Amino acid sequence: MSNDHKSLREEAYEANIEIPRRNLAIYTWGNVSAFDPDKGVFAIKPSGITYDNLRPEDMPVIDLEGKIVYGKLKPSSDTETHRILYREFIYRSFGGKVAMKGITHTHSVYAAAFAQAKRAVPVFGTTHADHSAEEIPCTEFMSEEAVKNNYEFETGRLIIETFIRQNKNLITMPMVLVAGHGPFTWGKNAAESLYHAVVLEEICKMAHLSLSLKPDLEALPEYLIRKHWERKHGPNAYYGQKQ
Amino acid sequence: MSNDHKSLREEAYEANIEIPRRNLAIYTWGNVSAFDPDKGVFAIKPSGITYDNLRPEDMPVIDLEGKIVYGKLKPSSDTETHRILYREFIYRSFGGKVAMKGITHTHSVYAAAFAQAKRAVPVFGTTHADHSAEEIPCTEFMSEEAVKNNYEFETGRLIIETFIRQNKNLITMPMVLVAGHGPFTWGKNAAESLYHAVVLEEICKMAHLSLSLKPDLEALPEYLIRKHWERKHGPNAYYGQKQ
Amino acid sequence: MSNDHKSLREEAYEANIEIPRRNLAIYTWGNVSAFDPDKGVFAIKPSGITYDNLRPEDMPVIDLEGKIVYGKLKPSSDTETHRILYREFIYRSFGGKVAMKGITHTHSVYAAAFAQAKRAVPVFGTTHADHSAEEIPCTEFMSEEAVKNNYEFETGRLIIETFIRQNKNLITMPMVLVAGHGPFTWGKNAAESLYHAVVLEEICKMAHLSLSLKPDLEALPEYLIRKHWERKHGPNAYYGQKQ
Amino acid sequence: MSNDHKSLREEAYEANIEIPRRNLAIYTWGNVSAFDPDKGVFAIKPSGITYDNLRPEDMPVIDLEGKIVYGKLKPSSDTETHRILYREFIYRSFGGKVAMKGITHTHSVYAAAFAQAKRAVPVFGTTHADHSAEEIPCTEFMSEEAVKNNYEFETGRLIIETFIRQNKNLITMPMVLVAGHGPFTWGKNAAESLYHAVVLEEICKMAHLSLSLKPDLEALPEYLIRKHWERKHGPNAYYGQKQ
C-alpha cells in the first residue's frame, strides 16, 4: 500500500509546504489538495499537522464519496469543501476534460481582510487582469440552516452557487473569497492552485493600498482589462515560452 | 541546585526564544513564563536580557509569594503580573485542575495598536472564531492609585477584573489587551501561550486591514462564530488528529 | 555565437535576479534590459521564466528594429516597450551621448497602488528629492485605439508623450507610473534602472504612509527640494566619493 | 596611522552595519557616528558607500572644527549635522560629563512618514513611555536663508533650536524628526543611538496603526507615562540586571 497514489501525494505535499514559504498561512491554517481524475481521488493535507512535520507518506487520499482510500491520518477539516468542489467540477466539466486538479485554501491576511469586509475585488489594475478579466467574487454569508447541515460541504456549495448566480466560469475565475472566512483558489494542478493563492494575496494587497489612496476607485477600462487577459490567456496569447 | 526546575526552565526558555522568531517583539520587549502547579512555581525570562543571550540555566524561578527559588538574575519586571495571574487562576480553577500553565506578554505591533486605541477586537472572521467565540477584551486604563501601589501586580488584577466584569472565562478567552500597553495571552503551557500571542497578532492584523476597508464592520453572525469555535473546541470537535 | 553580447547579457541577468531579492515582483512579474548603444541592441529577460531559472546565456538580445539577434527564447512580452524607449532616447539624446542604457519594469506593490489610483507622487520629502526634484508622473489611460494597435509599443509611446506634455526630462526624472499598470524606471545602466525601481517603491511607501497621516499633505517647499537634488546631482554635488 | 582611533572606528562601523539588518535604510541612506570626547573627534560612515562594502579602516575621523584627522574617504554628507550636535552637546553638558557619544540618522519609513507629515508623535502607549515620557518632537521646515547657508550644519542647529523652544532635554528625549526629512537619534554610544533609531521606528509604526484605528487618539494619562518612564529610567528604576 505504501506506494499507492505516490505521485499524487507528493504533488499535494510539495504544494502544501509552499504555504508558509509564500507567507499564505501560519501554523496549520491552510491546505492544498491534488486530484487524480482517472482514479477519482485526491490527496490532501492531514488535519492539524504543521508544515514542518508533513511527509508525503502522511497525506491522506480520499475518493469522491468521502471515503479514505489511503493513509492513517485524519484529513483536513476542510476536506468536504475540496470534495464537493472536485465532484462538481467533474460533473460540470465540458467534453470530458477535467479542468481543475488542485485546490488551495489559506488565511492570507489581505485576502482574508476583503473576505471579512465581504467585498469583492474589482479589476483595479493589470496585475489583476493578467490573471482574470473579472472582479474576484465574494460569497454571501452561509445560512444558519446550511451551517447546521454539513458546514464544510456547504462551503463548497456556497462557492458553486455564487459562481452560478454571478454567471462566473470556474476556468476563467480561479479564485473566490468566502465571506467572513478567507480565500479558496484552484488550478490545473496543486501547484497552480497555490500559485493562484499567492497571486490573489498580491492582488488584494495592491487593491487595499489603492483603495486607501482613493476610496471610490473604479475598475480599469474594460478594453485594458481585456487586452491584458488576452495576451496571457486568449486564443492568440503571446506571454511565456509556449502557448 | 543546577538541575532544579530544569524542564520548567527549558520550557520557558524555548517559548521565550520564539518571541523574536515570530516577530512578536524586538530586543527584550516580551516575556514568557512556564508554571508548575505541583510545586507552585514558575520560570520566567530574566529582566533586560536579549533573546540571543538567554540560556535555560539563567531563567529565574519564582514561587507564588514572589520569592525567587532559583537563579541569580533578576526576573522580568512584569513578573508580578504573571504571579498574580497564576495565583488567581489556581484559586479560581475548577475541580482542582489548573488550566493555565503558561503566560506570554509582548509588544507585537498590531495588538499594541488596538491596545493603544483602547479597542476590543470583535469576531470579524473565522480565523478569530477558530480560537475564540468572543470579542477579545481590552481593559480600561489603570487608576492612578493602582499605578502608585504595585503597578505590575495591579496589571494582573486589572486583567482579572476586566474578565469578571465582562463575564469572560479565562479558558475560552486566552487573550487580553491592556489599554495603552499591549497583549497578554495564556495557555495550557508556555508554548501554547506563545501560540496565542502569534494568533492574536494575526487576528489583529486582519481586523486592522478589514476596518480600513469597512470602518463600520460588524461581527460575524453568531451561528458562524459558534460553528468555527465548536469544530475546534466544542464537545464534538473534529479538528486535528486527536480530540 | 555563444559569446555574442556576453557582457550585455550578464549585465541584464544580474539586474533581473535582483528583482525578487529586492521584493519588486514575484514569479515572473518584472523585467530588466541592458542596452548597448554602439551595437544598437539590448538584452532582456525571456518571457515567463522565473528568476531562479534564469541564466545569462538565455537572455535574448534584440535590435532596435525588434529583430532577435541572439538567443532561442522568446523575449519578455514587454520588449516592445523597452525597444521604443531605447529608440526614442537615442533620437532625443543630446550631443551623441546616450543617457539611458537600462530599463526596469516591475509590479512592486506601493508603486502599483499609486499607478492603480492614477496618482502622481509629489515630492513629500527629502528621500524623494535626493533622487528627483519633481513629482513622479503618472500617465493617463491608454486610448482604446492605441491598445488595439500594438499595446506594448504604445505603452512606451504613452510614457514619452507624458514626458513631453508635462515638460519632463528623462534624465532628471528616471521613473514613471503607467496608469492602472505599474512602474517603469531607467538609468545609465541596467543596475541603475533597478536601483531606481527600488527607490521608487520606497518613495511610494513613504508617500502612502504620509498621506494616511495627512490626506491633504502638500509637497516640500521648493527650496528644500532643490537643495537635496543639487547636493546629489547638481553641478556642485558633494555626495559620494567621486563627483 | 592605521591604528589611530581604532576602537572608535570599530564602534562606528559595528553600528553602521546594523542599519540594513534592522531595516532602517536601504543602500547608503543612513549613517551612524561614534564620538570620543577626550580627543574631541568622531568616526562616521564615509559618503555613498554601501554597508556591505564598509570596513572599519575606511571610517573617516573628524574633529569638532570639521577637519578630517583620519582616513582617505570623504565623510557622510550629513557630517556637519553630527558635528554641530556633538559640539553643542559638549558645551551644554553638565558637570563636564558628555552625555551623547553616538548619533544615528536614517530614512526608516514610518519615522519618515511622520517627518513628511510634519507631525510630532504623542505618547500613545507604554512602548513609547518606556523610552521617553514626552512627545517625540518634529522640527519646523528650515528657512530658505538657512538652507542657502550651510544646510547640514543648519539641520543640527534646527534640531537644537527645536529642543530649546520646546524646553526639551537631549538626555531624556533622544529622538527627533526633522520636518520633511527623517529621524535623528542619539545615545550614550553609537550602539545606543542605533537602538533608539530602531525604537523610534517601532513607536512610529505603532502610532501609525493606532491613528488609523482612532484618528483623534489622545496621549496616555500622564501618570501611566510617568510610571513606565520611571521604572526604566527613574532614580528607583528596576528594569534590567543592573541599575
Coordinates of all heavy atoms in Angstrom, one line a residue, chain C residues 102-172:
Chain C
G102 N 19.6 51.3 -19.4 CA 19.0 50.2 -18.7 C 17.6 50.6 -18.4 O 17.3 51.8 -18.1
I103 N 16.6 49.7 -18.5 CA 15.2 49.9 -18.2 C 14.7 48.8 -17.3 O 15.0 47.6 -17.5 CB 14.4 50.0 -19.4 CG1 14.8 51.1 -20.3 CG2 12.9 50.1 -19.1 CD1 14.1 51.2 -21.7
T104 N 13.9 49.1 -16.3 CA 13.3 48.1 -15.4 C 11.8 48.3 -15.3 O 11.4 49.5 -15.2 CB 13.9 48.2 -13.9 OG1 15.3 47.9 -14.0 CG2 13.2 47.3 -13.0
H105 N 11.1 47.2 -15.4 CA 9.7 47.2 -15.2 C 9.3 46.2 -14.1 O 9.8 45.1 -14.2 CB 8.9 46.9 -16.5 CG 7.5 46.6 -16.3 ND1 6.6 47.5 -15.7 CD2 6.7 45.6 -16.6 CE1 5.4 47.0 -15.7 NE2 5.4 45.8 -16.2
T106 N 8.5 46.6 -13.1 CA 8.1 45.7 -12.0 C 6.6 45.9 -11.7 O 6.0 46.8 -12.3 CB 8.9 45.9 -10.7 OG1 8.3 47.1 -10.0 CG2 10.4 46.2 -11.0
H107 N 6.1 45.1 -10.8 CA 4.8 45.3 -10.3 C 4.9 45.5 -8.7 O 4.1 45.0 -8.0 CB 3.9 44.1 -10.6 CG 3.4 44.1 -12.0 ND1 2.1 43.9 -12.3 CD2 4.1 44.2 -13.2 CE1 2.0 43.9 -13.7 NE2 3.2 44.1 -14.2
S108 N 5.9 46.3 -8.3 CA 6.1 46.5 -6.9 C 4.8 47.1 -6.3 O 4.2 48.0 -6.9 CB 7.3 47.3 -6.6 OG 7.2 48.6 -7.1
V109 N 4.4 46.7 -5.1 CA 3.0 46.9 -4.7 C 2.7 48.4 -4.4 O 1.6 48.9 -4.7 CB 2.6 46.0 -3.5 CG1 2.5 44.6 -3.9 CG2 3.5 46.2 -2.3
Y110 N 3.6 49.2 -3.7 CA 3.2 50.5 -3.4 C 3.2 51.4 -4.7 O 2.4 52.3 -4.9 CB 4.2 51.1 -2.4 CG 3.8 50.7 -1.0 CD1 4.5 49.5 -0.4 CD2 2.9 51.3 -0.2 CE1 4.1 49.1 0.8 CE2 2.5 50.9 1.0 CZ 3.2 49.8 1.6 OH 2.8 49.3 2.8
A111 N 4.2 51.2 -5.6 CA 4.2 51.9 -6.9 C 3.0 51.5 -7.7 O 2.3 52.4 -8.3 CB 5.5 51.6 -7.6
A112 N 2.6 50.2 -7.7 CA 1.4 49.8 -8.4 C 0.2 50.4 -7.8 O -0.8 50.7 -8.6 CB 1.3 48.3 -8.4
A113 N 0.1 50.6 -6.5 CA -1.0 51.2 -5.9 C -1.2 52.6 -6.4 O -2.4 53.1 -6.7 CB -0.9 51.2 -4.3
F114 N -0.1 53.4 -6.4 CA -0.3 54.8 -7.0 C -0.7 54.7 -8.5 O -1.5 55.5 -8.9 CB 1.0 55.5 -6.8 CG 1.2 56.2 -5.5 CD1 1.8 55.5 -4.4 CD2 0.7 57.5 -5.2 CE1 1.9 56.1 -3.1 CE2 0.8 58.1 -4.0 CZ 1.4 57.4 -2.9
A115 N -0.1 53.8 -9.2 CA -0.5 53.6 -10.6 C -2.0 53.3 -10.7 O -2.7 53.8 -11.6 CB 0.4 52.6 -11.3
Q116 N -2.4 52.3 -9.9 CA -3.8 51.9 -10.0 C -4.8 53.1 -9.6 O -5.9 53.2 -10.1 CB -4.1 50.7 -9.1 CG -3.4 49.5 -9.6 CD -3.7 48.1 -8.9 OE1 -3.5 47.1 -9.5 NE2 -4.3 48.2 -7.8
A117 N -4.3 53.9 -8.6 CA -5.1 55.0 -8.2 C -4.9 56.2 -9.2 O -5.5 57.3 -9.0 CB -4.8 55.5 -6.8
K118 N -4.1 56.0 -10.1 CA -3.8 57.0 -11.2 C -3.3 58.4 -10.5 O -3.8 59.4 -10.8 CB -5.0 57.3 -12.1 CG -4.6 57.2 -13.6 CD -5.7 57.3 -14.5 CE -6.2 58.7 -14.7 NZ -7.3 58.7 -15.8
R119 N -2.4 58.2 -9.5 CA -2.0 59.4 -8.8 C -0.5 59.6 -9.0 O 0.3 58.7 -8.8 CB -2.2 59.3 -7.3 CG -3.6 59.6 -6.9 CD -3.8 59.4 -5.4 NE -3.2 60.6 -4.7 CZ -3.5 60.9 -3.4 NH1 -4.5 60.3 -2.8 NH2 -3.0 61.9 -2.8
A120 N -0.1 60.8 -9.4 CA 1.3 61.1 -9.4 C 1.8 61.2 -8.0 O 1.0 61.3 -7.0 CB 1.5 62.5 -10.1
V121 N 3.1 61.2 -7.7 CA 3.7 61.2 -6.4 C 4.4 62.5 -6.2 O 5.5 62.7 -6.7 CB 4.6 60.0 -6.2 CG1 5.1 59.9 -4.7 CG2 4.0 58.7 -6.6
P122 N 3.8 63.4 -5.4 CA 4.5 64.7 -5.2 C 5.8 64.5 -4.3 O 5.9 63.5 -3.7 CB 3.5 65.5 -4.4 CG 2.2 64.8 -4.6 CD 2.5 63.4 -4.8
V123 N 6.6 65.5 -4.3 CA 7.9 65.4 -3.5 C 7.5 65.7 -2.1 O 7.6 66.9 -1.6 CB 8.9 66.4 -4.1 CG1 10.3 66.2 -3.4 CG2 9.1 66.3 -5.6
F124 N 7.2 64.7 -1.4 CA 6.8 64.9 0.0 C 7.9 64.9 1.0 O 7.8 65.3 2.2 CB 5.8 63.7 0.5 CG 4.5 63.8 -0.1 CD1 3.8 62.6 -0.6 CD2 3.8 65.0 -0.2 CE1 2.6 62.6 -1.1 CE2 2.5 65.0 -0.7 CZ 1.9 63.8 -1.2
G125 N 9.1 64.5 0.5 CA 10.2 64.5 1.5 C 11.6 64.5 0.8 O 11.7 64.4 -0.4
T126 N 12.6 64.5 1.6 CA 14.0 64.6 1.0 C 14.4 63.3 0.4 O 15.3 63.3 -0.4 CB 15.0 65.0 2.1 OG1 15.0 64.0 3.1 CG2 14.6 66.4 2.7
T127 N 13.8 62.2 0.9 CA 14.2 60.9 0.2 C 13.9 61.0 -1.3 O 14.6 60.5 -2.1 CB 13.4 59.8 0.9 OG1 13.4 59.9 2.3 CG2 13.9 58.4 0.4
H128 N 12.7 61.5 -1.6 CA 12.3 61.8 -2.9 C 13.2 62.8 -3.6 O 13.8 62.5 -4.7 CB 10.8 62.3 -2.9 CG 10.2 62.4 -4.3 ND1 8.9 62.0 -4.5 CD2 10.7 62.9 -5.5 CE1 8.6 62.3 -5.8 NE2 9.7 62.9 -6.4
A129 N 13.5 63.9 -2.9 CA 14.2 65.0 -3.5 C 15.7 64.6 -3.8 O 16.4 65.1 -4.7 CB 14.2 66.2 -2.6
D130 N 16.2 63.6 -3.0 CA 17.5 63.1 -3.2 C 17.7 62.4 -4.6 O 18.8 62.3 -5.1 CB 17.9 62.1 -2.2 CG 18.4 62.7 -0.9 OD1 18.8 63.9 -0.9 OD2 18.3 62.0 0.2
H131 N 16.5 62.0 -5.2 CA 16.6 61.3 -6.4 C 15.9 62.0 -7.6 O 16.2 61.8 -8.7 CB 15.9 59.9 -6.2 CG 16.7 59.1 -5.3 ND1 16.5 59.1 -3.9 CD2 17.8 58.3 -5.5 CE1 17.4 58.3 -3.4 NE2 18.2 57.8 -4.3
S132 N 15.0 62.9 -7.2 CA 14.4 63.8 -8.3 C 13.7 65.0 -7.6 O 13.1 64.9 -6.6 CB 13.3 63.0 -9.1 OG 12.7 63.9 -10.0
A133 N 13.9 66.1 -8.3 CA 13.3 67.4 -7.7 C 11.9 67.5 -8.2 O 11.3 68.6 -7.9 CB 14.2 68.5 -8.2
E134 N 11.3 66.5 -8.8 CA 9.9 66.7 -9.4 C 9.0 65.6 -8.9 O 9.4 64.5 -8.6 CB 10.0 66.7 -10.9 CG 10.9 67.8 -11.5 CD 11.3 67.4 -12.9 OE1 10.4 67.0 -13.7 OE2 12.5 67.5 -13.2
E135 N 7.7 65.9 -9.0 CA 6.7 64.9 -8.9 C 6.9 63.7 -9.8 O 7.2 64.0 -11.0 CB 5.4 65.6 -9.2 CG 4.2 64.8 -9.3 CD 2.9 65.7 -9.4 OE1 2.5 66.4 -8.5 OE2 2.3 65.8 -10.5
I136 N 6.7 62.5 -9.4 CA 6.8 61.3 -10.3 C 5.5 61.3 -11.0 O 4.5 61.1 -10.5 CB 7.1 60.1 -9.5 CG1 8.4 60.2 -8.7 CG2 7.1 58.8 -10.4 CD1 8.6 59.2 -7.6
P137 N 5.6 61.3 -12.4 CA 4.4 61.4 -13.2 C 3.7 60.1 -13.3 O 4.3 59.0 -13.2 CB 4.9 61.9 -14.5 CG 6.3 61.4 -14.6 CD 6.9 61.4 -13.2
C138 N 2.4 60.2 -13.5 CA 1.6 59.1 -13.8 C 0.9 59.3 -15.1 O 0.4 60.5 -15.3 CB 0.5 58.8 -12.7 SG -0.5 57.3 -13.0
T139 N 0.9 58.4 -16.0 CA 0.3 58.6 -17.4 C -1.2 58.6 -17.3 O -1.8 58.3 -16.2 CB 0.6 57.5 -18.3 OG1 0.0 56.3 -17.9 CG2 2.1 57.2 -18.4
E140 N -1.9 59.0 -18.3 CA -3.3 58.8 -18.5 C -3.5 57.3 -18.9 O -2.6 56.6 -19.2 CB -3.9 59.7 -19.6 CG -3.9 61.1 -19.2 CD -4.8 61.4 -18.0 OE1 -5.9 60.9 -17.9 OE2 -4.3 62.2 -17.1
F141 N -4.8 56.8 -18.9 CA -5.0 55.5 -19.5 C -4.8 55.6 -21.0 O -5.1 56.6 -21.7 CB -6.5 55.1 -19.3 CG -6.8 54.7 -17.8 CD1 -7.8 55.2 -17.1 CD2 -5.9 53.8 -17.2 CE1 -8.1 54.8 -15.8 CE2 -6.2 53.4 -15.9 CZ -7.3 53.9 -15.2
M142 N -4.3 54.5 -21.6 CA -4.1 54.4 -23.0 C -5.4 54.4 -23.7 O -6.4 53.9 -23.1 CB -3.3 53.1 -23.3 CG -2.7 53.1 -24.7 SD -2.0 51.5 -25.1 CE -0.6 51.5 -23.9
S143 N -5.5 55.0 -24.9 CA -6.8 55.0 -25.6 C -7.1 53.6 -26.1 O -6.2 52.8 -26.3 CB -6.7 56.0 -26.8 OG -5.9 55.4 -27.8
E144 N -8.4 53.4 -26.4 CA -8.8 52.1 -26.9 C -8.1 51.8 -28.3 O -7.7 50.6 -28.5 CB -10.3 52.0 -27.0 CG -10.8 50.6 -27.4 CD -12.2 50.4 -27.0 OE1 -12.9 51.3 -26.6 OE2 -12.7 49.2 -27.2
E145 N -8.0 52.8 -29.1 CA -7.3 52.6 -30.4 C -5.9 52.2 -30.2 O -5.4 51.3 -30.9 CB -7.4 53.9 -31.2 CG -8.8 54.4 -31.6 CD -9.3 55.3 -30.5 OE1 -9.5 54.9 -29.3 OE2 -9.5 56.5 -30.8
A146 N -5.2 52.8 -29.3 CA -3.8 52.5 -29.1 C -3.6 51.1 -28.6 O -2.7 50.3 -29.0 CB -3.1 53.5 -28.1
V147 N -4.5 50.7 -27.7 CA -4.4 49.3 -27.2 C -4.6 48.3 -28.3 O -3.9 47.3 -28.4 CB -5.5 49.1 -26.1 CG1 -5.7 47.6 -25.8 CG2 -5.3 49.9 -24.8
K148 N -5.5 48.6 -29.3 CA -5.7 47.7 -30.4 C -4.6 47.6 -31.4 O -4.4 46.7 -32.1 CB -7.0 48.0 -31.1 CG -8.2 47.6 -30.2 CD -9.5 47.9 -30.9 CE -10.7 47.4 -30.1 NZ -12.0 48.0 -30.4
N149 N -3.8 48.7 -31.4 CA -2.7 48.8 -32.4 C -1.6 47.8 -31.9 O -1.5 46.7 -32.3 CB -2.2 50.2 -32.4 CG -1.0 50.4 -33.3 OD1 -0.8 49.7 -34.3 ND2 -0.2 51.5 -33.0
N150 N -0.6 48.3 -31.1 CA 0.5 47.5 -30.6 C 0.7 47.9 -29.2 O 1.4 48.9 -28.9 CB 1.7 47.7 -31.5 CG 2.9 46.9 -31.0 OD1 2.9 46.5 -29.8 ND2 3.9 46.8 -31.8
Y151 N 0.1 47.2 -28.3 CA -0.1 47.6 -26.9 C 1.2 47.9 -26.2 O 1.4 49.0 -25.6 CB -0.8 46.5 -26.1 CG -0.9 46.8 -24.6 CD1 -1.7 47.9 -24.2 CD2 -0.3 46.0 -23.7 CE1 -1.8 48.2 -22.8 CE2 -0.4 46.3 -22.3 CZ -1.1 47.4 -21.9 OH -1.2 47.7 -20.6
E152 N 2.2 47.1 -26.3 CA 3.5 47.3 -25.6 C 4.3 48.5 -26.2 O 4.9 49.3 -25.5 CB 4.3 46.0 -25.6 CG 3.7 44.9 -24.7 CD 2.6 44.2 -25.4 OE1 2.4 44.3 -26.6 OE2 1.9 43.4 -24.7
F153 N 4.3 48.5 -27.6 CA 4.9 49.7 -28.2 C 4.2 51.0 -27.8 O 4.9 52.0 -27.4 CB 4.7 49.5 -29.7 CG 5.4 50.5 -30.6 CD1 6.7 50.4 -31.1 CD2 4.7 51.7 -30.9 CE1 7.3 51.3 -31.9 CE2 5.2 52.7 -31.7 CZ 6.5 52.5 -32.2
E154 N 2.9 50.9 -27.7 CA 2.1 52.1 -27.3 C 2.3 52.5 -25.9 O 2.2 53.7 -25.5 CB 0.6 51.9 -27.6 CG 0.3 51.8 -29.1 CD 0.4 53.1 -29.8 OE1 0.5 54.2 -29.2 OE2 0.5 53.1 -31.1
T155 N 2.7 51.5 -25.1 CA 3.0 51.8 -23.6 C 4.2 52.7 -23.6 O 4.2 53.7 -22.8 CB 3.2 50.5 -22.9 OG1 2.0 49.7 -22.9 CG2 3.6 50.8 -21.4
G156 N 5.2 52.4 -24.4 CA 6.4 53.2 -24.4 C 6.0 54.6 -25.0 O 6.5 55.6 -24.4
R157 N 5.2 54.7 -26.0 CA 4.8 56.0 -26.6 C 4.1 56.8 -25.6 O 4.3 58.0 -25.4 CB 4.0 55.7 -27.8 CG 3.7 57.0 -28.5 CD 3.8 56.9 -30.0 NE 2.7 56.3 -30.7 CZ 2.6 56.1 -32.0 NH1 3.6 56.4 -32.8 NH2 1.5 55.6 -32.5
L158 N 3.2 56.1 -24.8 CA 2.4 56.8 -23.8 C 3.4 57.5 -22.7 O 3.1 58.6 -22.3 CB 1.5 55.8 -23.1 CG 0.6 56.3 -21.9 CD1 -0.4 57.3 -22.5 CD2 -0.1 55.1 -21.3
I159 N 4.4 56.8 -22.4 CA 5.4 57.3 -21.4 C 6.0 58.5 -22.0 O 6.1 59.6 -21.3 CB 6.4 56.2 -21.0 CG1 5.8 55.1 -20.2 CG2 7.6 56.9 -20.3 CD1 6.6 53.9 -20.0
I160 N 6.5 58.4 -23.2 CA 7.2 59.5 -23.8 C 6.3 60.7 -24.0 O 6.7 61.9 -23.7 CB 7.8 59.1 -25.2 CG1 8.9 58.0 -24.9 CG2 8.3 60.3 -26.0 CD1 9.3 57.2 -26.1
E161 N 5.1 60.5 -24.5 CA 4.1 61.6 -24.6 C 3.8 62.3 -23.3 O 3.7 63.5 -23.2 CB 2.8 61.1 -25.3 CG 3.0 60.9 -26.8 CD 1.8 60.1 -27.4 OE1 0.8 59.8 -26.6 OE2 1.8 59.9 -28.6
T162 N 3.7 61.5 -22.2 CA 3.5 62.1 -20.9 C 4.7 63.0 -20.5 O 4.5 64.1 -20.0 CB 3.4 60.9 -19.9 OG1 2.3 60.1 -20.2 CG2 3.1 61.5 -18.5
F163 N 5.9 62.6 -20.8 CA 7.0 63.4 -20.5 C 7.0 64.7 -21.4 O 7.4 65.7 -20.9 CB 8.3 62.6 -20.7 CG 8.7 61.8 -19.5 CD1 7.9 60.9 -18.9 CD2 9.9 62.1 -18.9 CE1 8.2 60.2 -17.7 CE2 10.3 61.4 -17.7 CZ 9.5 60.5 -17.1
I164 N 6.7 64.5 -22.6 CA 6.6 65.7 -23.5 C 5.6 66.7 -23.0 O 5.9 67.9 -22.8 CB 6.4 65.3 -25.0 CG1 7.6 64.6 -25.5 CG2 6.1 66.6 -25.8 CD1 7.4 63.9 -26.8
R165 N 4.4 66.2 -22.7 CA 3.3 67.1 -22.3 C 3.6 67.7 -21.0 O 3.2 68.9 -20.8 CB 2.0 66.3 -22.2 CG 0.7 67.1 -22.2 CD -0.6 66.3 -22.3 NE -0.6 65.2 -21.3 CZ -0.5 63.9 -21.7 NH1 -0.4 63.6 -22.9 NH2 -0.5 63.0 -20.8
Q166 N 4.2 67.0 -20.1 CA 4.5 67.5 -18.8 C 5.9 68.2 -18.7 O 6.3 68.6 -17.7 CB 4.4 66.5 -17.7 CG 3.1 65.8 -17.5 CD 2.9 65.0 -16.3 OE1 3.8 65.0 -15.4 NE2 1.9 64.2 -16.2
N167 N 6.5 68.3 -19.9 CA 7.8 69.0 -20.0 C 8.8 68.4 -19.0 O 9.5 69.1 -18.4 CB 7.6 70.5 -19.7 CG 8.8 71.3 -20.2 OD1 9.5 70.9 -21.2 ND2 9.0 72.5 -19.6
K168 N 8.8 67.1 -19.0 CA 9.8 66.4 -18.1 C 11.0 65.9 -18.9 O 10.8 65.6 -20.1 CB 9.1 65.2 -17.4 CG 8.1 65.7 -16.4 CD 8.0 64.7 -15.2 CE 7.0 65.2 -14.2 NZ 7.5 66.4 -13.5
N169 N 12.1 65.8 -18.3 CA 13.3 65.4 -18.9 C 13.6 64.0 -18.4 O 13.7 63.7 -17.2 CB 14.4 66.4 -18.4 CG 15.7 66.1 -19.0 OD1 16.1 64.9 -19.0 ND2 16.4 67.1 -19.3
L170 N 13.9 63.1 -19.3 CA 14.1 61.7 -19.0 C 15.4 61.4 -18.2 O 15.6 60.4 -17.6 CB 14.1 60.8 -20.3 CG 12.8 60.8 -21.0 CD1 13.0 60.7 -22.5 CD2 12.0 59.6 -20.5
I171 N 16.2 62.4 -18.2 CA 17.5 62.3 -17.4 C 17.2 62.7 -15.9 O 17.7 62.0 -15.0 CB 18.6 63.1 -18.0 CG1 18.9 62.5 -19.4 CG2 19.9 63.1 -17.1 CD1 19.8 63.3 -20.3
T172 N 16.5 63.8 -15.7 CA 16.3 64.2 -14.3 C 15.1 63.5 -13.7 O 14.9 63.6 -12.5 CB 16.1 65.7 -14.2 OG1 15.1 66.1 -15.2 CG2 17.4 66.4 -14.6

